[in-house]
């Protein structure tokens, strides 16, 4: 592990004159999970969307080390290259699974779509891979031909994860992956995610307002407020010994049961 | 003559024909690519072949011989009306014989008789976008065509196999043209897909409501999409045509009574008539009265 995977330099996004996020700098290493926390409106999602090339930032660069070891600024990739990168080497797990899934095709086809997009034309192989991945995200094999519409929220979220991981991406973006799930389902999903991330050596950037999610999943975290990163460091350090007053407030406002 | 003098030749005005011809030329230059054009109101409803009629009107000349088929038949309402339309507004000769026609406007079939050089097949297309029901956003499907992202088309075929054990799409079966664009061959049965491949005739597709024209020039590669372990297959029929005894042709099932009686007959009526004229007789072909009982 000699080089980072992603290098973000002075990333700034304005919506007209309104600030989305400003002057974000960080590096992400292979296999590392970074959490971005902060309250609503602090610029977390803007930052995530800019990093994942969903939004074009107003200034700054995001450099990504491609599979051929070339560093490329993702905003200067051609659209074809960017879309290929997004559906092979990256994954994006949306908060609402309906945004990331095709709700009207079966679970198997949802998982297989990325394989077919990169040219797999063998039905038996696609189906076998889909079955394998459904198993890994704990979805029963006999649900493979069911549409995600008939799935519970937790199952949909797990299906979305399988769909993203099937091409063996190196970097996964997650936007509130446990939002909207009840706590026991959240716990199970977190457990699964932690297992997969460790097993596959994935790098991940997780946006969340839930500090418990950050604590469980991430190695490092960044705290955002008003579009700026106000504190960054190892997750345990930031949560146990917050330095900024705002972070202290955030940590102390966690409900204790 | 006065009655038709109020129309321009072939109904459309010359500027409109020029515009459509430009779209056709572009379509021929980029096989399988959907070219937008400014579709006109035609004196018939959408779904009756307004796209095909506009294409035909733009390419037809006084020397042309026109044949119009609807589901293979020359004698159904749609075919008869469009033939009559052009007989009136372009005073062209019309025919039902495939070999005699220079332009064949078709709804959902390709004639059984192989088409030759100099013939033009004009398809009436309801929905030109093969990805429409998989990806409803037109902006997105255009991007997918531009970037050659056709994985989604296979998702549909995957769904077919997962649900039915085989590729159950029987018409509008997607094809890849000249190794580049994925194209909807209009709702022709997949039986006809192999006829599009390396055809000697020019094939033009007009979608009036959707304002799109696309084309397959002669001698162009047209490949039906499939999986390695589920290859493309055309329909096979158990029995030959009951009237002319033809096998290896596309057949329609005709219900004869309310006790399960039925017969299979050629969908291509011209092909069937010619075969019977040449002396071929099917199981029920000898005596039509007997067949009806």
């Amino acid at each position: 592990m000699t080089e980072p995977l992603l290098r973000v330099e002075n990333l700034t996004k304005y919506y007209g004159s309104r600030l989305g996020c400003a002057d974000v700098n960080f590096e992400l290493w292979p296999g590392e999970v970074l959490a971005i926390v902060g309250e609503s409106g602090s610029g977390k999602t803007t930052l995530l969307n800019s990093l994942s090339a969903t939004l074009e930032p107003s200034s700054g660069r995001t450099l990504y080390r491609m599979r051929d070891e070339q560093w490329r600024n993702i905003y200067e990739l051609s659209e074809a290259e960017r879309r290929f990168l997004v559906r092979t080497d990256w994954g994006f797990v949306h908060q609402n699974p309906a945004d990331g899934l095709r709700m009207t095709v079966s679970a198997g086809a949802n998982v297989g779509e990325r394989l077919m997009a990169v040219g797999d034309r063998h039905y038996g192989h696609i189906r076998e891979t889909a079955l394998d991945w459904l198993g890994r995200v704990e979805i029963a094999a006999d649900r493979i031909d069911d549409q995600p519409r008939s799935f519970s929220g937790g199952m949909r979220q797990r299906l979305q994860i399988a769909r993203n991981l099937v091409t063996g991406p190196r970097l996964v973006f997650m936007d509130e992956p446990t939002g909207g799930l009840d706590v026991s389902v959240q716990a199970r999903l977190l457990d699964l995610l932690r297992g997969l991330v460790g097993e596959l050596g994935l790098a991940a950037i997780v946006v969340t307002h839930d500090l418990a999610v950050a604590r469980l999943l991430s190695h490092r975290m960044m705290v955002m407020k008003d579009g700026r990163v106000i504190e960054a460091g190892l997750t345990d350090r930031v949560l146990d010994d917050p330095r900024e007053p705002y972070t202290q407030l955030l940590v102390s406002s966690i409900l204790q049961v | 003559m006065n009655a038709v003098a109020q129309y321009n030749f072939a109904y459309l005005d010359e500027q409109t024909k020029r515009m459509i011809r430009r779209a056709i030329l572009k379509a021929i230059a980029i096989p399988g690519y959907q070219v937008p054009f400014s579709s006109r109101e035609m004196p018939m409803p959408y779904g009756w072949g307004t796209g095909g009629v506009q294409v035909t009107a733009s390419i037809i000349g006084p020397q042309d011989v026109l044949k119009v088929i609807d589901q293979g038949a020359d004698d159904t309402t749609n075919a008869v009306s469009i033939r009559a339309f052009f007989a009136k507004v372009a005073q062209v000769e019309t025919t039902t014989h495939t070999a005699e026609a220079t332009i064949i406007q078709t709804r959902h079939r390709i004639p059984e008789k192989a088409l030759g050089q100099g013939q033009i097949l004009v398809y009436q297309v309801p929905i030109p976008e093969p990805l429409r029901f998989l990806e409803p956003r037109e902006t997105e499907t255009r991007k997918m065509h531009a970037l050659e992202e056709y994985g989604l088309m296979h998702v549909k075929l995957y769904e077919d196999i997962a649900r039915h054990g085989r590729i159950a799409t029987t018409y509008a079966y997607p094809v890849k043209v000249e190794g580049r664009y994925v194209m909807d061959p209009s709702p022709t049965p997949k039986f006809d897909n192999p006829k599009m491949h390396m055809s000697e005739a020019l094939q033009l597709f007009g979608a009036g409501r959707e304002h799109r024209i696309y084309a397959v020039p002669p001698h162009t590669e047209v490949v039906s999409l499939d999986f390695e372990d589920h290859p493309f297959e055309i329909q096979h029929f158990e029995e030959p045509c009951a009237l002319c005894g033809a096998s290896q042709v596309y057949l329609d099932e005709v219900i004869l009574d309310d006790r399960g009686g039925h017969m299979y007959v050629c969908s291509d009526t011209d092909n069937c008539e010619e075969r019977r004229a040449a002396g071929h007789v099917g199981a029920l072909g000898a005596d039509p009265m007997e067949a009806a009982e």
Side-chain angles (χ1 to χ4, degrees), chain B:
Chain B
M1 202 58 206
N2 281 341
V4 291
Q6 50 195 304
Y7 291 113
N8 189 30
F9 177 78
Y11 187 76
L12 292 174
D13 63 276
E14 293 305 313
Q15 287 304 316
T16 300
K17 285 197 254 179
R18 278 183 57 167
M19 174 270 293
I20 295 175
R21 285 175 198 145
R22 278 198 293 265
I24 292 172
L25 286 174
K26 181 170 178 181
I28 293 171
I30 317 171
Y33 172 72
Q34 299 167 45
V35 182
F37 78 109
S38 174
S39 180
R40 297 290 189 253
E41 289 285 331
M42 296 304 283
M44 60 189 72
Y46 287 126
W48 280 57
T50 53
V53 166
Q54 289 179 77
V55 170
T56 302
S58 308
I59 59 172
I60 202 164
Q63 273 76 47
D64 276 311
V65 180
L66 179 71
K67 170 182 162 82
V68 183
I69 49 176
D70 173 9
Q71 309 279 3
D74 292 281
D75 52 6
T76 54
T77 313
N78 195 283
V80 170
S81 342
I82 293 174
R83 209 161 47 225
F85 174 76
F86 281 109
K88 183 178 179 188
V89 299
Q91 299 100 48
V92 290
E93 198 186 323
T94 61
T95 182
T96 59
H97 299 299
T98 303
E100 289 169 15
T102 54
I103 297 174
I104 302 172
Q105 182 170 332
T106 176
R107 174 169 178 264
H108 310 176
R109 274 313 308 281
I110 299 174
E112 303 291 356
K113 190 186 293 267
L115 299 177
Q117 196 181 347
Q119 288 187 301
I120 301 176
L121 191 58
V122 178
Y123 295 76
Q124 305 170 193
V125 181
I127 296 168
E129 179 50 71
L131 301 161
R132 171 70 48 85
F133 294 108
L134 301 156
E135 176 52 70
R137 288 168 296 178
E138 183 77 16
T139 48
E140 185 66 16
T141 54
R142 279 192 219 177
K143 202 168 276 179
M144 290 159 80
H145 282 294
L147 301 175
E148 229 180 318
E149 288 180 6
Y150 290 130
L152 196 53
M153 207 69 247
H154 274 83
V155 170
K156 176 179 156 47
L157 302 179
Y158 170 96
E159 283 289 276
D160 263 6
I161 304 174
R163 234 180 268 168
H164 307 287
R166 65 198 159 79
I167 298 177
T169 304
T170 52
Y171 65 95
Y173 192 102
V175 293
K176 194 165 211 178
V177 181
E178 205 63 13
R180 178 58 180 84
Y181 283 97
V182 165
M183 182 187 96
D184 183 341
S186 87
T188 50
K190 64 179 174 183
F191 183 89
D192 287 339
N193 275 17
K195 294 181 196 160
M196 307 179 86
H197 178 62
M198 292 295 167
S199 169
E200 284 188 26
L202 170 64
Q203 303 174 72
L204 301 175
F205 299 76
R209 178 170 21 206
E210 300 262 343
H211 301 210
R212 291 288 183 278
I213 286 172
Y214 49 104
V216 177
H219 307 288
T220 301
E221 186 186 73
V222 178
V223 180
S224 304
L225 301 180
D226 59 3
F227 284 104
E228 288 159 16
D229 48 346
H230 285 268
F232 172 74
E233 282 179 346
I234 60 171
Q235 291 101 330
H236 293 285
F237 298 92
E238 307 272 307
E239 45 194 279
C241 170
L243 296 178
C244 75
S247 51
Q248 311 297 318
V249 295
Y250 193 76
L251 301 176
D252 288 334
E253 185 182 11
V254 178
I255 305 293
L256 297 176
D257 51 39
D258 58 359
R259 281 162 284 137
H262 65 112
M263 67 194 282
Y264 285 98
V265 294
C266 284
S267 131
D268 186 339
T269 51
D270 173 52
N271 190 55
C272 197
E273 278 163 16
E274 280 184 14
R275 278 179 57 84
R276 275 182 288 160
H280 297 278
V281 179
L284 299 172
D287 186 351
M289 290 311 292
E290 196 181 314
E293 279 169 17

Side-chain angles (χ1 to χ4, degrees), chain A residues 174-207:
Chain A
M174 299 187 214
D175 188 5
E176 307 274 9
T178 58
L181 301 177
D182 65 55
V183 280
S184 61
V185 176
Q186 269 192 29
R188 192 163 155 215
L189 186 76
L190 284 172
D191 199 39
L192 179 84
L193 268 178
R194 197 156 62 150
L196 285 173
V197 165
E199 181 189 331
L200 302 169
L202 286 175
I205 297 178
V206 186
V207 158

